[in-house]
Amino acid sequence: MASWKQLLQAAMDSHAHLKHSSFIQLATLGTNGRPANRTVVFSDRIRIHTDSRSCKIEEIKHCPFGEICWYFTESWEQFRINGKIEIIDKSTTDAIKVEQRKKSWQTISGKSRFQYLAPAPRSPYKEEPGIDYELDPSAGPLDAFSLLILEPDQVDYINLKSDERWIFTLRMSDTDKIWMPERVNP
Amino acid sequence: MASWKQLLQAAMDSHAHLKHSSFIQLATLGTNGRPANRTVVFSDRIRIHTDSRSCKIEEIKHCPFGEICWYFTESWEQFRINGKIEIIDKSTTDAIKVEQRKKSWQTISGKSRFQYLAPAPRSPYKEEPGIDYELDPSAGPLDAFSLLILEPDQVDYINLKSDERWIFTLRMSDTDKIWMPERVNP
């Protein structure tokens, strides 16, 4: 059996022509105790760019686990990727992570950058004249720019064409990380 | 502002040519306390057909709230529909609900019916010779057939083309149910 990463890469490659194929659903636990679920855009290595003022940041601080559901519309494959979510934001001090946040900022478009200057997500809307901001393209990330990194520890893969389902579970020993595949009934 | 039901109906109509447009993501709270998320098929009125042996049944019994995330790939609209989930299964005694379950069973294909005879979802896979079952098409639902009904109490709508976001909240009084729309920042 291929590893889940190989399966995911193959599914991504075969859907590369569909813009929506990088849209995935991230479920977290709401601070009210209810599940919350929204579409986010996948970027390299299960990183997600988000606004530090959005509800999901507070939710993740409260319960740091999440499950991504990724359905591929042409190959009929679904990946449910469960793991712990790390938040890298302006308060992060670890040098490597600070660098990761900077690099992620550089990959996003000018238009996407502006959203981090906009009023806080979900705050009441007021009609306001558009303001012309100038953003220095070489400057570092805006304060509201956060990076979420999901570290998978279980992947539930199902192929609805072949009717095969595999659960991949990360086993940690003192020295090793091993992914254990188990074939289960769909 | 149109009601969220009108918005949803319009999005469904404009995507009716895309089979995958009825695939939605349902987040629940796992019995381990972590969010769980999977693709399910929308049928009329936020009803979901499922196997009573699947994990989500146990999860919903534990925490009866869920959030559906429904993204429309062509109109760039997302609906996050949050509410309480009711399970209608073979133990249900209420006559109206028993009838709903029967009617839902009648709407599903012969092939879909067979899955409720298959080994329990997520049980270890064993290679077995295919068994030829005969199912009486006029017979009632198999034991494993369950119906989930999500009763929405909040809908978070976002249109990424017009950059508009509306939160619709159900307010209950002694005599009335009213959906209150509020425009918020995206």
Side-chain angles (χ1 to χ4, degrees):
Chain A
M1 185 56 192
S3 75
W4 68 268
K5 287 176 190 173
Q6 290 167 315
L7 290 167
L8 181 58
Q9 192 60 53
M12 287 168 66
D13 290 348
S14 70
H15 288 70
H17 63 293
L18 293 172
K19 189 180 173 253
H20 68 250
S21 67
S22 62
F23 293 2
I24 58 184
Q25 278 72 37
L26 172 69
T28 53
L29 181 58
T31 48
N32 60 359
R34 292 185 179 199
N37 203 2
R38 83 285 286 161
T39 305
V40 293
V41 179
F42 173 81
S43 64
D44 188 36
R45 291 178 55 194
I46 321 195
R47 290 182 191 177
I48 295 158
H49 302 152
T50 195
D51 193 308
S52 54
R53 301 163 299 174
S54 69
C55 294
K56 59 180 150 327
I57 292 289
E58 208 188 326
E59 290 170 8
I60 292 163
K61 283 181 180 164
H62 200 248
C63 168
F65 299 99
E67 185 159 275
I68 281 171
C69 180
W70 199 340
Y71 184 73
F72 289 91
T73 53
E74 301 209 336
S75 59
W76 303 7
E77 292 168 290
Q78 174 181 266
F79 295 81
R80 298 172 60 179
I81 306 173
N82 202 304
K84 203 168 173 179
I85 300 172
E86 186 183 10
I87 301 168
I88 302 182
D89 62 14
K90 67 166 179 165
S91 70
T92 302
T93 53
D94 178 279
I96 292 172
K97 292 173 186 169
V98 168
E99 199 50 42
Q100 280 181 318
R101 180 167 169 259
K102 265 192 206 167
K103 280 203 171 149
S104 289
W105 177 254
Q106 283 157 13
T107 65
I108 68 171
S109 68
K111 193 176 167 250
S112 297
R113 290 180 181 187
F114 274 112
Q115 81 188 58
Y116 297 97
L117 283 174
R122 231 183 143 131
S123 58
Y125 174 79
K126 279 183 218 140
E127 200 134 0
E128 277 169 307
I131 300 163
D132 275 335
Y133 299 105
E134 291 244 351
L135 271 181
D136 176 0
S138 64
L142 287 168
D143 281 358
F145 179 71
S146 298
L147 187 62
L148 304 180
I149 299 185
L150 188 140
E151 197 62 62
D153 55 29
Q154 189 179 78
V155 178
D156 181 343
Y157 166 80
I158 191 160
N159 184 320
L160 294 175
K161 283 189 182 168
S162 66
D163 225 25
E164 272 186 58
R165 185 175 177 186
W166 290 81
I167 311 261
F168 298 88
T169 309
L170 187 65
R171 304 259 177 243
M172 311 274 273
S173 74
D174 291 346
T175 52
D176 258 336
K177 279 175 145 189
I178 299 168
W179 282 96
M180 301 288 292
E182 186 196 7
R183 182 161 180 188
V184 298
N185 289 303
Chain B
M1 186 57 191
S3 74
W4 67 269
K5 287 177 190 171
Q6 290 168 316
L7 290 166
L8 182 58
Q9 192 59 55
M12 286 168 66
D13 290 347
S14 71
H15 287 71
H17 62 293
L18 293 172
K19 187 179 176 254
H20 68 250
S21 67
S22 62
F23 294 3
I24 58 185
Q25 278 71 36
L26 172 69
T28 52
L29 180 58
T31 47
N32 60 358
R34 292 185 178 202
N37 204 2
R38 83 286 286 159
T39 304
V40 293
V41 179
F42 172 81
S43 64
D44 187 34
R45 292 178 54 194
I46 321 193
R47 292 185 190 174
I48 295 158
H49 302 154
T50 194
D51 194 307
S52 52
R53 302 162 299 174
S54 70
C55 293
K56 57 181 151 331
I57 292 289
E58 207 186 329
E59 289 169 10
I60 292 163
K61 284 182 180 163
H62 201 248
C63 168
F65 299 99
E67 185 159 276
I68 282 170
C69 181
W70 200 340
Y71 184 73
F72 289 90
T73 53
E74 301 209 336
S75 59
W76 303 7
E77 291 167 292
Q78 174 182 265
F79 295 81
R80 298 172 62 180
I81 305 173
N82 202 303
K84 202 167 173 181
I85 300 172
E86 187 184 8
I87 301 167
I88 301 182
D89 62 13
K90 66 166 179 164
S91 70
T92 302
T93 53
D94 178 280
I96 292 172
K97 292 172 186 169
V98 168
E99 198 50 41
Q100 280 182 317
R101 180 167 169 260
K102 266 192 202 164
K103 280 202 171 146
S104 289
W105 177 254
Q106 282 156 14
T107 66
I108 68 172
S109 68
K111 190 173 169 253
S112 296
R113 291 181 180 188
F114 274 113
Q115 82 189 56
Y116 297 97
L117 283 174
R122 231 183 143 132
S123 58
Y125 174 81
K126 279 183 218 139
E127 199 133 1
E128 276 167 308
I131 300 165
D132 276 334
Y133 299 105
E134 291 243 353
L135 271 181
D136 175 359
S138 64
L142 288 168
D143 281 358
F145 179 71
S146 297
L147 187 61
L148 304 180
I149 299 185
L150 187 140
E151 197 62 60
D153 54 29
Q154 190 178 76
V155 178
D156 182 343
Y157 166 80
I158 192 161
N159 184 319
L160 294 174
K161 283 190 181 167
S162 66
D163 225 25
E164 274 187 55
R165 184 174 177 188
W166 289 81
I167 311 260
F168 298 87
T169 308
L170 186 65
R171 302 260 178 243
M172 310 275 271
S173 74
D174 290 346
T175 52
D176 257 334
K177 279 174 145 191
I178 300 169
W179 282 96
M180 301 287 292
E182 186 196 9
R183 183 161 179 189
V184 298
N185 289 303

